[in-house]
Amino acid sequence: MAHTFEDLVKLERLAEEAHAAYTANPGDDTRAAWLEAADEFQAAVVEHAAAEGKSRYEVEMAAKKTVRHPETEAA
């Protein structure tokens, strides 16, 4: 099943949270969780882009922009 854009945003948020946890408490467990979350996001991006006939890069950047700069989406 293809992921929706909203799914991508959720997965990117999880990856960002996992990265923050790793940054706050570096260790093998937090690093593994961060890498796993990032991998899940990337796999979903590839799947979504293929299903929508869009560039993987553009899909990834749109999801990351939505997560990292939500104030620009509201404008």
Side-chain angles (χ1 to χ4, degrees):
M1 182 174 106
H3 291 278
T4 65
F5 186 76
E6 291 76 23
D7 293 337
L8 300 182
V9 170
K10 289 176 189 174
L11 290 169
E12 174 59 9
R13 281 193 181 115
L14 290 173
E16 286 291 312
E17 290 169 6
H19 180 251
Y22 171 69
T23 302
N25 186 19
D28 291 341
D29 291 342
T30 54
R31 183 175 189 274
W34 168 38
L35 295 178
E36 182 179 334
D39 285 346
E40 286 181 38
F41 170 69
Q42 288 298 321
V45 165
V46 169
E47 184 180 301
H48 179 79
E52 296 292 316
K54 295 182 179 178
S55 159
R56 182 209 56 82
Y57 175 79
E58 290 175 2
V59 170
E60 178 181 350
M61 291 302 105
K64 288 184 178 208
K65 181 180 178 184
T66 299
V67 171
R68 297 176 185 179
H69 306 286
E71 66 281 354
T72 60
E73 295 299 311

